[in-house]
Amino acid sequence: MGLFTPTYYAKSLYEIPISFYKENGIKILFCDLDNTLDAFYEQDPTEKAIKLVRELEENGIKVIITSNNHGDRVTNYANKLNVICHYSSKKPLGYKLRRFIKSNNFNKDEIVMVGDQLLTDVICSKNTKIRVILTEPLVNKDLPVTKVNRFFDKIIRRMMKKKLTKLEVKNHE
């Protein structure tokens, strides 16, 4: 189960207080897009996403959208938020993300990834040796390609239920 165990768990990205990031030395947030930052069918950032990203960046936390989705979708969304992105990330493989971290001279100790999938986001963070916050998906709908992962994800989450509640990110403010 270690491969699937996130560093932290939060019901939603939107419930994580800014103080959590500061208390844990996090300066860079690798944020999954689909069903973590916004629903997969949102082409433009929602007001909620815009507000969160502004608040994070005002507090010195750089947001980088890290997605397996294709370049046009991710780049257009990221440009509207005025953040950089890393698309076609090949999660759960970590090689592209490791290369991105190295080429940008990021300190791994200052990074946390946040995402809604065990089989992509959590495993990728383990392969990249960075911390990860697992969230629940924002909506119950998924892209067809995600449905197989989600089937296994639900089984593993049920097995890990007690462990996930112990890792919960809350009560930090």
Side-chain angles (χ1 to χ4, degrees), residues 24-127:
N24 288 283
I26 297 164
K27 296 181 180 174
I28 301 168
L29 178 65
F30 285 171
C31 189
D32 180 52
L33 173 54
D34 296 325
N35 276 344
T36 301
L37 184 58
D38 253 327
F40 74 90
Y41 49 77
E42 295 290 351
Q43 294 304 306
D44 297 324
T46 58
E47 284 301 315
K48 191 175 182 179
I50 294 167
K51 182 181 175 194
L52 175 66
V53 169
R54 281 190 189 136
E55 185 179 4
L56 287 163
E57 297 209 330
E58 285 169 3
N59 281 277
I61 300 156
K62 182 180 192 77
V63 175
I64 299 171
I65 295 176
T66 308
S67 177
N68 280 348
N69 213 318
H70 61 86
D72 289 343
R73 191 258 192 282
V74 180
T75 302
N76 290 336
Y77 186 98
N79 286 342
K80 291 173 184 171
L81 270 180
N82 199 29
V83 298
I84 63 174
C85 64
H86 185 263
Y87 57 85
S88 301
S89 295
K90 305 280 189 225
K91 298 182 282 183
L93 305 174
Y95 73 95
K96 284 188 82 176
L97 208 49
R98 279 193 303 274
R99 216 179 303 151
F100 180 75
I101 290 167
K102 187 175 182 176
S103 69
N104 285 282
N105 295 314
F106 292 146
N107 179 344
K108 285 185 180 183
D109 294 334
E110 296 177 342
I111 300 171
V112 71
M113 181 186 296
V114 64
D116 66 305
Q117 291 189 60
L118 289 165
L119 299 178
T120 55
D121 304 307
V122 173
I123 293 176
C124 182
S125 73
K126 299 285 183 160
N127 288 333

Side-chain angles (χ1 to χ4, degrees), residues 135-153:
T135 65
E136 297 297 324
L138 288 178
V139 296
N140 289 326
K141 290 182 181 181
D142 277 308
L143 291 167
V145 72
T146 307
K147 289 183 180 189
V148 173
N149 280 356
R150 198 67 75 191
F151 172 79
F152 292 107
D153 189 280

Side-chain angles (χ1 to χ4, degrees), residues 1-6 9 118-119 134 136 150-167:
M1 281 312 212
L3 184 62
F4 301 111
T5 304
Y9 169 79
L118 289 165
L119 299 178
L134 176 66
E136 297 297 324
R150 198 67 75 191
F151 172 79
F152 292 107
D153 189 280
K154 286 178 184 177
I155 293 169
I156 298 166
R157 282 179 192 247
R158 273 189 297 240
M159 293 167 44
M160 294 177 54
K161 187 138 179 90
K162 289 181 184 174
K163 185 168 254 186
L164 288 179
T165 56
K166 290 179 187 170
L167 296 167

